[in-house]
Amino acid sequence: MTRGHPTLSAMAAMASVVAWGLAASLGAQEIPQQFDWHEAREIPSATPWGQTVDVESTRLIRSWTTMPEYTNPTVDHLPAAPAVVSPTDHFGHPVGKPGVLHGVEEIYGYMEALAASSARVAFQRLGRTEEGRDLALVQVGSEANLARLEAVKAGMKRLSDPRVTEVAEAEALVADLPAIYTFYAGLHSTETGPPEMVMEMAYRLAVSDDPMIQTIRDSVVVFIVPVAEPDGRDKVVDWHRRYNADVYDTDDRVPGPPYWGKYIFHDNNRDGLQLTARLTQELVGLFLDWHYPVGHDLHESVPYLYVSTGTGPYNPTVDPIAVSEWQWMSNWEVTNLTALGMPGVWTHGFYTGWYPGYLLWVTNTRNAVGRFYETFGNSIPNTMERGLNERSTEVEWYRPNPPRDTTVWSLRNNTNYMQTGALNAVYLVAQNRSRVLDNFWRKSSNAVEKGRAEAPYGYVVPTDQARRADASYMLNLLRRQGMEVHRAEDDGTFGDVTVAEGDYVIRMDQPYRNFVQTLMETQDFPDDAPSPYDDVAWTYPLMFNVTVEAVDDPAIQELDLDLVDDEIRMAGAYEHIDGDEESGVHVVVPNASAHIMKARLALGPGVEVVVADGEITIDDDRTVAPGAWLLRPWEIGRDDLEAWAAEHGMTAYTIEDTQLGGIAHHPMDMPRVAVLHTWTRTQDEGWARFTLDQAGLEYAYISEKDLAGMDLRAQFDVVVFPHQGTRATAKSIFQGVDPEHGPLAYTRTDEFPSHGTPDGEADITGGMGFDGLKALRTFVDEGGTLIAIGTAGSIPVEFGFLRDVTFRPRGTMFIPGSILQGEVVNPADPIVYGYGETLPLYHQFGPYLNVPDDEDYRVPVKYAAGSELLLSGAARSAGSLAEDPAIYSTPLGEGHVVIFGFDALHRHQNHGNHALVWNAILNWNDLEVGQQEDGADAVAPEPMN
């Protein structure tokens, strides 16, 4: 198929052919860092609008651009402004120099200098990351608009809430306010171009007299977050300087670094629903502070510039105005850049628009517009030849002028494309400022009106919860997201839902009603839809395993309700039934709360906890299921117990110890814990570490390379091996990073100070090897407990630790990031203590356990069958999963192995699954309790007297 490219002048076309032929004829190591096509074009000393040009910077910018069609008059020059610090003034060269990346403080240093030299630029530091680096914000606009930013902020806040802004005031605000357009750069740290580009864009916006730029300045204040992931940026810059500075072939790039942030790798763009990372918290806070109508996330991947709309299915809770804005804006950019002669600008055929947890959805979920770019990048800033797959270069209706099959690509090309698109995007908003602001107000109005006119009219979260701490956490998370939560001042009945005084109510007649809906309702991902880009289900009540009731009666909004403005804490309950300090026993009901580990640790090491392995009778009407914690009154008094239960949402009783009736029990021995990580994937184990840290559990952090030299059993009782990603196999985990790159140090040095954290290694290649594998097996044989989550279980399964257990192929099953129904098979197993008969399980492509039928007693949880299996999301061809094991727990040697067939610690989202892991850790040396073949004697310690 022949593809047309933009027509150039004869001279430029000849220069293009010469430059391209030169680059293509050279070996990868010989690609020049400067290209001479531009020499056929004279660099004028002034722009058509009369502004002086920085000729030397312009010459370099054009020389680093590999072909004339990869630039245009918007960005092919650098305007001169003697009083304002340019990137060349600050760094000695313009942005886009081959081989050069700037660290966080270097970027901030330039932005601070720019702000100090221009009244059109402001710079401020925001909050800090987990590793102590600052996030920052740059604001660029006219002097007049920057001078009234506080008034703009107040006006945008009123515009965001139609309940306090009448039509006349909204119209006045629309007529008066500038729009705010916010860019996020550097979220994905190995996508290195955006933090470089935004430095030049900020300068251009501040000083250029281009009529287009002047229109932008007068009508828009551009916000720029120059580095959204500062911790990762510094690690990647150091990695480039350490290993890739002289690499000119993509096949020779040294993979790494192994970490970005302290916890989160690529998933830092999947944190919008749980708000765990400091960067997410700060950027959500930025929106809730400013209520800007457009947010734009700058990424790199597909060639040359993808402008987001997505293939669909779109999330059905998004206002149709926003969906139309996606198309309107993207088609403007594609049309304008194509008209400028730039090939490879397109939309539609990438991403879906379903999952609301990305950074760009900070705006989409709150009545603004969320967008993103994918600009072609090399990751490392060196100029190199790139070949493209055929699918990327085909003519499509959404890509009428595709990229070349092969190209020499540079950091400056990347800057040109991204900056041209971004400026055109802001120009569209500037030209249509009142339309964009009016749409923002209308989307908020639509949400409130829908909340008043359509069921559900509210959600009730009763305080009488089995897992009060979990419900409290969920409600506080909603409030952190900017949603309103009320508390009932009276009782009421609304249809089949009863509200008691003190219960929490989430009214739907609020501006973020659509976000409430997408979080609280179940998802139904269409069977005939394209493959999803990420998870397809995230339903809060299921993820937290708490009771939430939808109300279909509009009268719920008339109930006497009090807006909550403090942290919510559903206090636990304590009741003294009988017994005193001499003869009593405290009975605590953990109820499989995600907070049981934190609660246990809060008791302190001086309080002995005993776990009841049978049912306890509290009084004539009440019993407590197996798994209750038994505490002695002389170790924790009644008042302290009551305060502790209230703090941690627990239910506790004091009874006579004679009521225990000689019940079987075992001591809860707090183990010495290690978290094992590989060097090939630190993403999922980072989420696991975050979850353990939130619980306050101390652990050693060890790598696969540490295993061979360790006597694991002498140091640890439990090894937690987190999920390794859906594509991992036993072979890939075992082999680790390819030794062809070794020795590959990730250690802190004076030259590379960002490396070596949160763990370091002199050589990260080679995996655990046979010695490491043997160390794991010996650890279990000698009495340790190995908890392998998700694909980490392939190590004990595929390497034969467990003789009769296998993983079976996925086949045609398609279960992407969904919530399935689990059924408790063996309620006597400590792993499921506190759960009922069923529980929601997060599931993403297995792994799928195959266990002999005669070992069902070692299966604490299985998947439900038939129509009961899928709770939220999608599960195609999933019939073969029915009643299959979800967890397998078995003794091995003197120790124990627990295999999770799903990620029970997924992104700190599926809180309802956390207690499965906590139970396995807290009962690590008593996991055989309740595991016996039919007819065999139960495992039962001595009766408790």
Side-chain angles (χ1 to χ4, degrees):
M1 182 179 295
T2 302
R3 299 184 305 281
H5 288 281
T7 302
L8 307 171
S9 69
M11 183 176 294
M14 181 62 70
S16 171
V17 170
V18 170
W20 178 254
L22 172 65
S25 68
L26 295 172
Q29 299 297 325
E30 301 174 288
I31 291 176
Q33 298 299 287
Q34 294 188 345
F35 294 81
D36 59 5
W37 61 265
H38 67 286
E39 293 178 0
R41 299 176 176 179
E42 181 181 355
I43 299 175
S45 60
T47 65
W49 49 88
Q51 186 170 15
T52 302
V53 171
D54 180 340
V55 173
E56 179 56 24
S57 292
T58 298
R59 185 189 69 77
L60 290 171
I61 286 171
R62 295 183 182 184
S63 74
W64 299 333
T65 301
T66 63
M67 296 190 68
E69 63 192 65
Y70 296 160
T71 190
N72 64 83
T74 306
V75 297
D76 69 353
H77 68 284
L78 196 70
V84 180
V85 177
S86 72
T88 302
D89 296 331
H90 189 79
F91 294 118
H93 57 80
V95 166
K97 182 177 181 179
V100 174
L101 291 177
H102 295 96
V104 174
E105 285 302 324
E106 292 174 308
I107 293 169
Y108 291 174
Y110 172 68
M111 293 299 200
E112 286 179 311
L114 176 63
S117 63
S118 173
R120 296 172 178 171
V121 183
F123 176 87
Q124 62 179 294
R125 292 175 184 253
L126 305 173
R128 293 197 162 188
T129 66
E130 289 83 353
E131 293 185 358
R133 294 176 181 84
D134 291 331
L135 286 143
L137 175 67
V138 179
Q139 297 159 314
V140 189
S142 68
E143 292 95 326
N145 282 333
L146 286 193
R148 62 173 184 143
L149 276 180
E150 287 304 312
V152 171
K153 180 193 293 186
M156 291 303 302
K157 182 177 181 180
R158 293 192 66 80
L159 202 60
S160 72
D161 190 347
R163 298 170 303 175
V164 300
T165 310
E166 298 295 334
V167 173
E169 183 185 356
E171 289 175 345
L173 289 169
V174 166
D176 175 61
L177 294 173
I180 301 175
Y181 197 117
T182 300
F183 290 100
Y184 316 106
L187 178 65
H188 282 162
S189 301
T190 51
E191 298 165 20
T192 53
E196 303 291 328
M197 184 280 289
V198 295
M199 290 191 286
E200 180 174 296
M201 184 172 72
Y203 172 77
R204 192 179 302 277
L205 286 168
V207 306
S208 177
D209 293 336
D210 184 336
M212 170 184 173
I213 302 297
Q214 292 189 64
T215 300
I216 291 172
R217 274 200 304 266
D218 290 342
S219 298
V220 179
V221 179
V222 178
F223 283 18
I224 300 170
V225 177
V227 187
E229 170 54 292
D231 296 338
R233 175 70 182 188
D234 277 350
K235 291 184 180 72
V236 166
V237 170
D238 277 353
W239 191 266
H240 166 67
R241 294 170 179 173
R242 191 170 193 168
Y243 292 116
N244 287 321
D246 298 321
V247 170
Y248 297 95
D249 188 320
T250 56
D251 292 337
D252 295 333
R253 286 182 299 182
V254 178
Y259 300 95
W260 292 351
K262 178 178 180 180
Y263 296 110
I264 307 174
F265 199 76
H266 193 271
D267 270 359
N268 63 13
N269 197 27
R270 309 295 192 276
D271 189 41
L273 301 183
Q274 58 274 46
L275 306 187
T276 58
R278 289 290 302 127
L279 72 89
T280 319
Q281 295 166 11
E282 285 293 328
L283 297 183
V284 168
L286 183 68
F287 178 86
L288 295 177
D289 203 23
W290 286 94
H291 302 92
Y292 42 82
V294 188
H296 192 145
D297 197 2
L298 300 171
H299 284 272
E300 294 179 347
S301 65
V302 292
Y304 291 141
L305 178 64
Y306 170 78
V307 184
S308 66
T309 52
T311 62
Y314 294 153
N315 189 302
T317 67
V318 177
D319 191 294
I321 295 174
V323 174
S324 298
E325 287 172 320
W326 295 346
Q327 320 303 324
W328 171 49
M329 293 180 174
S330 66
N331 285 320
W332 164 267
E333 286 142 284
V334 172
T335 300
N336 276 18
L337 269 67
T338 301
L340 287 169
M342 305 184 80
V345 183
W346 54 292
T347 187
H348 175 73
F350 182 85
Y351 167 73
T352 53
W354 179 266
Y355 179 67
Y358 307 111
L359 181 60
L360 72 110
W361 279 72
V362 167
T363 37
N364 283 327
T365 51
R366 297 172 177 85
N367 304 316
V369 182
R371 323 184 61 228
F372 74 94
Y373 279 172
E374 297 286 351
T375 312
F376 199 38
N378 292 336
S379 183
I380 61 176
N382 298 345
T383 303
M384 59 183 68
E385 186 176 79
R386 301 292 300 276
L388 309 182
N389 63 55
E390 184 176 346
R391 197 170 69 176
S392 299
T393 59
E394 293 175 344
V395 172
E396 301 282 359
W397 68 263
Y398 52 84
R399 187 172 52 219
N401 188 19
R404 294 175 175 271
D405 298 328
T406 307
T407 188
V408 175
W409 196 254
S410 67
L411 177 62
R412 186 64 215 188
N413 293 351
N414 173 286
T415 296
N416 293 340
Y417 267 84
M418 195 185 320
Q419 186 176 184
T420 305
L423 291 173
N424 274 273
V426 182
Y427 185 46
L428 176 67
V429 171
Q431 292 175 296
N432 296 273
R433 179 197 58 79
S434 60
R435 175 78 274 164
V436 171
L437 294 177
D438 185 69
N439 283 353
F440 183 47
W441 183 81
R442 287 181 185 277
K443 286 179 287 186
S444 301
S445 299
N446 290 347
V448 172
E449 289 305 313
K450 269 193 169 186
R452 293 169 178 164
E454 297 181 11
Y457 298 95
Y459 290 92
V460 175
V461 184
T463 54
D464 185 19
Q465 294 270 345
R467 286 167 280 278
R468 298 183 187 92
D470 306 66
S472 298
Y473 188 100
M474 181 191 75
L475 289 169
N476 286 320
L477 181 54
L478 289 171
R479 293 186 62 252
R480 289 165 59 205
Q481 295 276 17
M483 284 163 267
E484 296 173 353
V485 177
H486 289 78
R487 195 163 193 186
E489 297 293 302
D490 291 314
D491 298 341
T493 300
F494 307 93
D496 58 356
V497 178
T498 298
V499 180
E501 180 182 355
D503 285 348
Y504 292 92
V505 178
I506 307 162
R507 291 174 54 157
M508 295 297 275
D509 57 337
Q510 60 172 297
Y512 298 160
R513 173 259 180 201
N514 294 350
F515 197 12
V516 174
Q517 182 185 5
T518 199
L519 293 176
M520 305 307 284
E521 70 180 7
T522 57
Q523 283 72 52
D524 182 14
F525 191 77
D527 286 339
D528 59 350
S531 294
Y533 201 70
D534 205 83
D535 288 354
V536 297
W538 48 83
T539 309
Y540 265 27
L542 296 176
M543 284 292 206
F544 286 92
N545 197 18
V546 299
T547 300
V548 178
E549 298 176 281
V551 180
D552 293 339
D553 184 348
I556 185 69
Q557 295 175 4
E558 304 303 320
L559 183 67
D560 189 6
L561 299 170
D562 184 35
L563 181 65
V564 177
D565 56 9
D566 292 319
E567 185 173 352
I568 293 168
R569 188 190 71 183
M570 293 186 192
Y574 169 74
E575 185 177 351
H576 180 262
I577 304 295
D578 204 351
D580 55 27
E581 188 173 305
E582 297 295 328
S583 63
V585 61
H586 300 314
V587 179
V588 176
V589 187
N591 275 334
S593 167
H595 298 263
I596 59 173
M597 180 62 76
K598 187 174 185 178
R600 172 62 189 94
L601 294 170
L603 287 170
V607 176
E608 181 184 6
V609 178
V610 172
V611 181
D613 295 315
E615 187 178 83
I616 298 173
T617 299
I618 298 298
D619 54 29
D620 292 341
D621 300 318
R622 291 175 291 183
T623 59
V624 174
W629 298 357
L630 307 178
L631 314 176
R632 287 300 190 183
W634 55 83
E635 293 184 350
I636 179 170
R638 191 184 305 175
D639 291 344
D640 288 341
L641 176 69
E642 185 172 4
W644 173 86
E647 174 70 22
H648 297 282
M650 296 292 189
T651 298
Y653 308 94
T654 300
I655 63 174
E656 283 279 355
D657 59 9
T658 55
Q659 291 178 246
L660 296 177
I663 193 170
H665 64 281
H666 67 267
M668 182 185 288
D669 301 318
M670 288 302 296
R672 302 164 299 167
V673 178
V675 173
L676 172 63
H677 76 88
T678 66
W679 288 107
T680 51
R681 185 178 174 96
T682 61
Q683 180 153 278
D684 305 287
E685 65 83 10
W687 287 112
R689 282 189 289 116
F690 179 87
T691 302
L692 268 62
D693 284 349
Q694 295 304 297
L697 180 64
E698 293 185 3
Y699 57 88
Y701 186 43
I702 63 174
S703 84
E704 59 192 349
K705 302 280 286 186
D706 296 328
L707 293 175
M710 252 185 196
D711 183 349
L712 283 173
R713 189 64 189 94
Q715 299 181 55
F716 308 114
D717 305 304
V718 172
V719 171
V720 178
F721 194 7
H723 182 50
Q724 295 296 301
T726 57
R727 297 179 182 177
T729 64
K731 178 180 178 180
S732 67
I733 297 170
F734 174 80
Q735 290 183 329
V737 177
D738 194 330
E740 75 170 351
H741 299 292
L744 194 58
Y746 179 72
T747 52
R748 180 171 182 167
T749 68
D750 291 341
E751 189 176 3
F752 309 113
S754 70
H755 289 178
T757 183
D759 196 9
E761 192 78 56
D763 181 13
I764 66 173
T765 70
M768 66 176 63
F770 287 105
D771 289 339
L773 189 66
K774 180 181 178 182
L776 273 181
R777 175 60 193 259
T778 301
F779 166 75
V780 178
D781 284 342
E782 293 179 352
T785 293
L786 173 63
I787 301 173
I789 300 174
T791 50
S794 63
I795 289 294
V797 169
E798 300 294 343
F799 282 108
F801 288 26
L802 310 177
R803 181 173 295 275
D804 297 322
V805 179
T806 59
F807 284 162
R808 61 185 179 86
R810 182 189 307 172
T812 59
M813 272 195 294
F814 184 79
I815 310 176
S818 298
I819 305 172
L820 306 183
Q821 180 92 292
E823 294 181 353
V824 171
V825 178
N826 183 5
D829 193 309
I831 291 174
V832 295
Y833 278 171
Y835 286 98
E837 294 180 355
T838 62
L839 69 156
L841 302 175
Y842 170 82
H843 184 100
Q844 185 187 42
F845 300 125
Y848 302 106
L849 287 162
N850 188 34
V851 175
D853 292 339
D854 62 355
E855 291 194 6
D856 281 351
Y857 60 92
R858 289 178 176 162
V859 176
V861 182
K862 67 179 180 180
Y863 294 105
S867 61
E868 296 181 351
L869 176 63
L870 179 63
L871 296 178
S872 187
R876 304 174 193 165
S877 304
S880 61
L881 187 62
E883 301 188 347
D884 270 10
I887 304 173
Y888 182 72
S889 172
T890 186
L892 181 66
E894 297 297 319
H896 210 93
V897 175
V898 181
I899 309 291
F900 283 82
F902 59 97
D903 185 2
L905 302 176
H906 175 68
R907 295 177 179 165
H908 201 62
Q909 279 186 299
N910 50 338
H911 291 236
N913 298 158
H914 290 179
L916 296 166
V917 179
W918 301 148
N919 280 342
I921 293 174
L922 292 172
N923 299 280
W924 68 276
N925 56 344
D926 292 283
L927 291 175
E928 291 183 56
V929 169
Q931 288 193 357
Q932 65 277 336
E933 298 182 55
D934 291 342
D937 293 334
V939 177
E942 290 296 317
M944 185 172 186
N945 297 316

